[in-house]
């Protein structure tokens, strides 16, 4: 690993170098930039050749950025629904939070086109449903106590993903505010969850 450049923040090792590159890429995505290897290299403070040592092309870099965005989104979601024990309340808050994040933070739109997070665009895939079910299991909801089986959680995960896809790809006009979206979800989604 070379030790010059890096905008004065020399990485400790190759993993740290990749982390810096991916964080900078996420910030550029949030600014709405159309990314190129040259643009990322400049923002990181390294030569294009140095960047190519870590990532052979923009697609591989965007894949890592999408992976990191996916982890960040799921960590933030876990915090958002912490302490919610009612299944309907947790699902409504989770949906409202994720819709907001996917529509206001451009780095998360990378989830629709790269990496394992591509499951958000392949909404009916087995991988998508398994991921959604696993995310639901991380909530502070005692699903079994509320009568939810693994099959039920899989079906709920699919419903959540389809709802997300709908709001992200066709938000409506005019778009709902966060409060309006929560009210909508409480009226139409919460009763379906509670009906279980």
């Amino acid at each position: 690993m070379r030790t010059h450049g890096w905008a004065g923040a020399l990485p400790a090792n190759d993993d740290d170098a990749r982390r810096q590159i991916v964080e900078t890429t996420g910030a550029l995505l949030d600014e709405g930039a159309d990314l190129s290897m040259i643009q990322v290299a400049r923002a990181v403070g390294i030569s294009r050749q140095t960047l190519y040592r870590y990532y052979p092309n923009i697609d591989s870099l965007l894949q890592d950025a999408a992976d990191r965005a996916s982890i960040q989104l799921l960590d933030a979601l876990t915090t958002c629904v912490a302490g919610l024990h009612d299944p309907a309340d947790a699902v409504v808050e989770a949906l409202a939070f994720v819709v907001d994040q996917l529509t206001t933070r451009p780095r998360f739109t990378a989830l629709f086109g790269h990496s394992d997070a591509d499951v958000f665009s392949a909404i009916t895939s087995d991988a998508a449903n398994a991921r959604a079910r696993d995310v639901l299991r991380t909530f502070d909801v005692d699903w079994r106590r509320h009568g939810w089986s693994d099959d039920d959680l899989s079906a709920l995960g699919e419903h959540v993903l389809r709802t997300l896809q709908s709001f992200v790809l066709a938000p409506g006009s005019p778009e709902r505010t966060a409060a309006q979206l929560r009210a909508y979800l409480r009226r139409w989604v919460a009763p379906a969850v509670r009906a279980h």
Side-chain angles (χ1 to χ4, degrees):
M1 180 181 62
R2 294 173 117 172
T3 57
H4 66 278
W6 301 96
L10 299 178
N13 51 42
D14 285 346
D15 288 340
D16 189 36
R18 286 185 189 88
R19 180 192 57 74
Q20 285 187 42
I21 292 167
V22 167
E23 284 181 3
T24 300
T25 300
L28 290 170
L29 287 169
D30 280 346
E31 293 169 8
D34 288 329
L35 292 186
S36 68
M37 295 294 272
I38 294 170
Q39 184 180 18
V40 173
R42 283 183 187 144
V44 175
I46 57 176
S47 71
R48 194 171 41 165
Q49 290 75 17
T50 300
L51 180 59
Y52 278 117
R53 284 212 317 265
Y54 295 100
Y55 293 98
N57 53 50
I58 194 68
D59 285 339
S60 64
L61 173 53
L62 288 173
Q63 179 171 328
D64 268 7
D67 288 342
R68 182 169 177 79
S70 176
I71 292 166
Q72 291 171 332
L73 181 61
L74 292 177
D75 287 348
L77 173 60
T78 300
T79 300
C80 173
V81 298
L84 296 177
H85 302 288
D86 176 74
D89 290 344
V91 169
V92 164
E93 284 307 308
L95 277 167
F97 175 79
V98 174
V99 167
D100 176 68
Q101 293 298 297
L102 291 176
T103 56
T104 61
R105 303 236 4 234
R107 80 173 58 190
F108 293 132
T109 61
L111 297 174
F112 287 88
H114 297 279
S115 87
D116 291 341
D118 201 25
V119 297
F120 285 103
S121 62
I123 220 68
T124 59
S125 73
D126 291 341
N129 290 333
R131 176 173 279 195
R133 183 192 61 230
D134 291 345
V135 169
L136 289 168
R137 285 179 177 151
T138 68
F139 292 4
D140 289 341
V141 174
D142 187 342
W143 295 102
R144 292 220 182 272
R145 186 174 69 78
H146 288 283
W148 291 79
S149 68
D150 285 342
D151 287 344
D152 294 331
L153 278 180
S154 292
L156 178 60
E158 179 184 356
H159 178 66
V160 166
L161 287 175
R162 288 181 183 277
T163 304
L164 281 175
Q165 182 186 47
S166 173
F167 277 108
V168 171
L169 299 180
S173 181
E175 289 186 37
R176 291 177 174 90
T177 65
Q180 290 169 331
L181 176 60
R182 278 181 174 78
Y184 177 92
L185 294 171
R186 284 190 193 104
R187 180 173 183 188
W188 300 106
V189 173
V193 175
R194 289 194 176 105
H196 170 75

